[in-house]
Amino acid sequence: MANLRPALPRPSPSFDLAGRCGACAIRELSICSVLSANELDLLCTIISTINFEPGHTIITEGEPAGDLFNVIRGSVRLYKLLTDGRRQVTGFLFPGDFLGIALNDTYAYSAEAIEPVQLCRFPRRKLEALLAELPRLERKLLGTTAHELAAAQEQIVLLGRKSAKERLASFLVLLSDRALKRRQPASPVDIPMTRTDIADYLGLTTETVSRTLTQMRQEKVIATIQRNRIDILDPGGLIELAGGTIGN
Amino acid sequence: MANLRPALPRPSPSFDLAGRCGACAIRELSICSVLSANELDLLCTIISTINFEPGHTIITEGEPAGDLFNVIRGSVRLYKLLTDGRRQVTGFLFPGDFLGIALNDTYAYSAEAIEPVQLCRFPRRKLEALLAELPRLERKLLGTTAHELAAAQEQIVLLGRKSAKERLASFLVLLSDRALKRRQPASPVDIPMTRTDIADYLGLTTETVSRTLTQMRQEKVIATIQRNRIDILDPGGLIELAGGTIGN
DNA sequence: CGACACCTTGACCAACGTCAAATCCGGTGG
DNA sequence: CCACCGGATTTGACGTTGGTCAAGGTGTCG
């Protein structure tokens, strides 16, 4: 069960000023979607963008939470480590997603770039100061947090009560749905994360992930295109396999 | 793995008007702790109290979310059901805890009384209308939701990566810590929920819960006092067993 | 005192983990 | 362009944790 892994290199980010929020490609997907042009100009004054290469650490669990982020490009894994090195991936972020929600003094989890990532950075103190003037943003933040809480509870059901096959099916359905929300096709699904990431997200091992995908391939529910792209041949069957909750 | 169970009786609640929030025994533990006397009076106008007997349903996953609640007395289990009847308990509530956080149109999970429960009820529409006038309450709600999100992520780590023994140890530590927050002793811990509830919370079976508790009893880490009270003989050992994350 | 629900214990089993060995594949250098 | 390298993935053989099934035990409430 142990899952020790080497320390990853510290970030060597490249900075630059964000310029115009108005031109932001992911604005409509992000928390900024609730802001008027004027409000956007206000928010615009406190942000900057920052890039990370694959494998580099964006935030670290337990460290002072100085900044919050929006993902502009690329993908991110969130995870927590047990003291003996076992890792649990708690989620993945894609363009439009918000990072750093725990409004505490320290980050509640770590985040690393999976692919090359571009982030929009909000200094926490400045953002909090602005919230008083941007009530819609605060409300949106509450909605986003509540949404993440609901997603975490779905993940709790998955980890507590689903079989390996149900977990994989749920995972693929999730990726497909989220791709749709970003206006990407639901079916050939990009899988930017490694099997290890998937295993650590689903509470399994890479071997079980691999075997289960093979099985689903043999059953013609999915087809693998290259290593990191999966074609969903039978969406209905996949959803069936995923075994949803009463509410869905 | 299936976990079918009979439908529980519908609530036969007893209503009564709450009267004075000022006299509320759990105000300092609850979201209301951030309100001034005047603000409290305002909130006071929209609430009522409601009681539930053990086993009765307070809210149901998927139904329209009409009300939010504060727990005044007793304890509550939150859970989600898979379509085939498997159950995952997502959390337990005690006095001071807030219920119904998903600010959606429908409840994201079900809730049942474990012990006789007294709740303070907020009609959702009225509460949302008040939020504009009670910015501190809205901020508190965001903090509470973020806190619940962090708790859910801890639970994800537990379910994804911890052994049965680590899960039980974590659970006892959690109950003990939460008792402390309610100003109750950390050590003989009350266990109002059944073994089935615990199993469904920890992603285990009642048999495994029972065997693991027996083992911990034999190792003198805990002692059982009656059936629903556990004495923590070796708090350090228990915390050790629980195997925390880097951040804690 | 009996019924019933809950809990504990035991014997056995299977899903998934562990360990080990291919195999694949993209990147690199000749 | 092709051989090689190294990490990622797949596959196989086997082990273990925790689940399943079944049989008592225990406490509570009428």
Side-chain angles (χ1 to χ4, degrees), chain A residues 38-86:
Chain A
N38 286 344
E39 291 171 329
L40 211 54
D41 284 345
L42 193 56
L43 187 59
C44 205
T45 62
I46 68 166
I47 63 162
S48 55
T49 66
I50 179 171
N51 295 288
F52 290 90
E53 290 306 307
H56 284 210
T57 299
I58 299 164
I59 63 174
T60 302
E61 181 179 359
E63 293 205 346
D67 297 304
L68 309 178
F69 304 89
N70 258 337
V71 178
I72 298 173
R73 246 177 353 135
S75 52
V76 172
R77 64 177 156 254
L78 311 179
Y79 62 92
K80 291 169 79 84
L81 294 177
L82 294 179
T83 46
D84 65 359
R86 278 174 287 176

Side-chain angles (χ1 to χ4, degrees), chain A residues 1 163-164 203-205 207-208 211 227:
Chain A
M1 191 182 274
S163 69
L204 300 170
T205 59
E207 291 93 331
T208 299
R211 276 188 260 266
R227 196 117 73 184

Side-chain angles (χ1 to χ4, degrees), chain A:
Chain A
M1 191 182 274
N3 216 333
L4 293 155
R5 63 201 68 222
L8 279 162
R10 302 254 60 205
S12 53
S14 68
F15 291 79
D16 88 67
L17 262 141
R20 301 169 300 283
C21 284
C24 177
I26 55 100
R27 178 158 45 98
E28 286 309 315
L29 298 171
S30 77
I31 55 166
C32 305
S33 62
V34 297
L35 298 177
S36 69
N38 286 344
E39 291 171 329
L40 211 54
D41 284 345
L42 193 56
L43 187 59
C44 205
T45 62
I46 68 166
I47 63 162
S48 55
T49 66
I50 179 171
N51 295 288
F52 290 90
E53 290 306 307
H56 284 210
T57 299
I58 299 164
I59 63 174
T60 302
E61 181 179 359
E63 293 205 346
D67 297 304
L68 309 178
F69 304 89
N70 258 337
V71 178
I72 298 173
R73 246 177 353 135
S75 52
V76 172
R77 64 177 156 254
L78 311 179
Y79 62 92
K80 291 169 79 84
L81 294 177
L82 294 179
T83 46
D84 65 359
R86 278 174 287 176
R87 185 179 75 154
Q88 176 66 38
V89 170
T90 57
F92 298 105
L93 300 182
F94 300 103
D97 292 337
F98 189 71
L99 166 61
I101 247 171
L103 291 190
N104 230 339
D105 287 343
T106 59
Y107 293 119
Y109 45 79
S110 304
E112 287 172 3
I114 295 174
E115 303 170 290
V117 163
Q118 183 176 28
L119 302 170
C120 171
R121 172 168 55 183
F122 309 90
R124 190 169 67 98
R125 311 302 296 262
K126 291 186 185 173
L127 183 65
E128 283 176 1
L130 269 188
L131 281 187
E133 299 167 57
L134 301 172
R136 278 188 287 193
L137 187 60
E138 178 153 21
R139 183 66 64 103
K140 176 70 173 176
L141 225 38
L142 178 54
T144 301
T145 309
H147 192 269
E148 288 206 16
L149 179 58
Q153 285 167 344
E154 278 298 326
Q155 187 67 0
I156 284 173
V157 173
L158 180 148
L159 293 169
R161 287 290 173 238
K162 289 189 185 178
S163 69
K165 199 169 178 182
E166 290 170 328
R167 293 182 197 196
L168 256 302
S170 303
F171 176 64
L172 294 176
V173 170
L174 180 73
L175 284 190
S176 179
D177 285 353
R178 290 180 72 178
L180 258 189
K181 286 204 184 116
R182 301 194 306 278
R183 303 171 188 216
Q184 290 174 5
S187 183
V189 180
D190 268 318
I191 316 282
M193 61 291 286
T194 66
R195 296 289 185 267
T196 304
D197 288 338
I198 298 172
D200 285 353
Y201 179 60
L202 298 178
L204 300 170
T205 59
T206 55
E207 291 93 331
T208 299
V209 169
S210 191
R211 276 188 260 266
T212 307
L213 287 177
T214 298
Q215 190 189 345
M216 290 167 70
R217 208 179 303 126
Q218 285 165 351
E219 292 166 356
K220 309 284 187 204
V221 181
I222 62 169
T224 312
I225 308 172
Q226 298 160 121
R227 196 117 73 184
N228 44 10
R229 177 164 296 203
I230 285 180
D231 200 348
I232 299 176
L233 301 178
D234 179 2
L238 197 67
I239 290 167
E240 183 84 15
L241 274 181
T245 54
I246 301 280
N248 301 318

Side-chain angles (χ1 to χ4, degrees), chain B residues 1 163-164 204-205 207-208 211:
Chain B
M1 191 184 273
S163 70
L204 301 170
T205 60
E207 292 94 331
T208 299
R211 277 188 260 266

